[in-house]
Amino acid sequence: MKNIGICIPTIEGGVIAHQEIGREAARRGIAYPQIVTHTPVYEDLQHALKSGDNQSLVELIADSINRTAKAGAEFAIISANTPHIVFDEVVAQSNIPVLSILDVAANHCKSRGYKTVGVLGTTWTVKNGLYDGPLQNRRMAAVYASDTDQAIIMDAILHELVSGNLLERTRSELVRIAKELATRCDGIILGCTELPLVLTEQNCGIEVVDTTRLLSHAALDFAKD
């Protein structure tokens, strides 16, 4: 079984990804693979994103992946959606293969027969239309929350979710936004690896696409090949 590398831009999402690989292996009745992780400096990632410095973002993510490679990883995943803004450039600088969370999520949506898919995530993910292409290539359309609600989502992610501190009123607001979006789509992509900490099929009233866990399952599949 191949060794897995995980680039962990945010700790909360990274923990879910790491843990889910082990849990999914247990569900399948197989031993889980060796896993090598690296966490870039979050403030550096934030600065690159806020300043639109994509070159620095590429260097930070590629360096993280290559550090896992030096420690024995044979391929890697990035346990965050937003850094996939520069996915192609990262792949070009990576010394090992990298699985795309975008393709994994879009393939899942296609398999579920969705036609219209809601996308929740950071404003960087939304404004860059990160999921537009992968969904359109599979004959699906993306829909989004209003600009006002998107600002609420972004604030919740940056100031609460990434640090594991979520206020109850914020939880209620995120559920409200998801339920509104659910009236306009067949399923919702949780396009931020921290959103599964809050949003579920039960409280959203619609199928949700947990990108974090799906990527972990895809990594386990790839490790077995």
Side-chain angles (χ1 to χ4, degrees):
M1 189 173 285
K2 300 184 187 74
N3 298 339
I4 302 174
I6 308 179
C7 165
I8 301 179
T10 61
I11 295 294
E12 294 294 321
V15 167
I16 295 173
H18 195 159
Q19 184 181 67
E20 185 64 17
I21 292 172
R23 289 183 173 179
E24 180 64 12
R27 294 184 197 106
R28 299 182 189 186
I30 62 174
Y32 55 78
Q34 294 187 66
I35 301 171
V36 180
T37 67
H38 179 264
T39 305
V41 177
Y42 178 68
E43 287 75 13
D44 291 345
L45 295 173
Q46 281 279 73
H47 178 73
L49 285 165
K50 289 179 178 178
S51 63
D53 186 355
N54 283 353
Q55 183 56 43
S56 291
L57 185 61
V58 170
E59 291 172 358
L60 288 164
I61 299 298
D63 174 70
S64 179
I65 290 169
N66 289 335
R67 286 172 185 259
T68 71
K70 288 179 181 178
E74 296 169 82
F75 73 97
I77 60 174
I78 305 166
S79 62
N81 285 260
T82 298
H84 284 71
I85 291 168
V86 292
F87 181 77
D88 291 342
E89 293 87 346
V90 166
V91 169
Q93 293 190 25
S94 298
N95 297 329
I96 51 178
V98 187
L99 304 189
S100 168
I101 199 170
L102 307 180
D103 287 335
V104 169
N107 285 339
H108 177 81
C109 291
K110 185 67 175 178
S111 74
R112 298 297 297 168
Y114 299 161
K115 299 300 181 184
T116 306
V117 185
V119 180
L120 296 175
T122 68
T123 299
W124 297 305
T125 290
V126 169
K127 295 304 182 184
N128 281 277
L130 205 54
Y131 276 98
D132 290 0
L135 291 174
Q136 290 170 1
N137 291 340
R138 295 163 178 82
R139 299 185 178 180
M140 294 176 283
V143 295
Y144 297 94
S146 68
D147 288 345
T148 299
D149 283 345
Q150 180 57 46
I152 293 171
I153 295 166
M154 184 67 159
D155 186 70
I157 291 171
L158 292 186
H159 300 116
E160 295 181 39
L161 285 174
V162 296
S163 58
N165 297 312
L166 183 69
L167 299 175
E168 190 55 42
R169 65 174 180 271
T170 305
R171 182 188 303 275
S172 297
E173 278 289 85
L174 292 177
V175 170
R176 175 192 63 76
I177 292 167
K179 284 185 173 180
E180 189 284 325
L181 191 60
T183 65
R184 300 187 279 120
C185 61
D186 303 313
I188 296 176
I189 288 176
L190 302 182
C192 166
T193 49
E194 282 76 33
L195 285 175
L197 295 169
V198 186
L199 301 177
T200 65
E201 294 184 358
Q202 289 69 36
N203 62 23
C204 291
I206 194 172
E207 291 186 5
V208 298
V209 180
D210 186 336
T211 58
T212 318
R213 291 181 171 84
L214 285 174
L215 182 63
S216 299
H217 300 171
L220 189 58
D221 290 338
F222 195 85
K224 287 178 59 184
D225 289 344

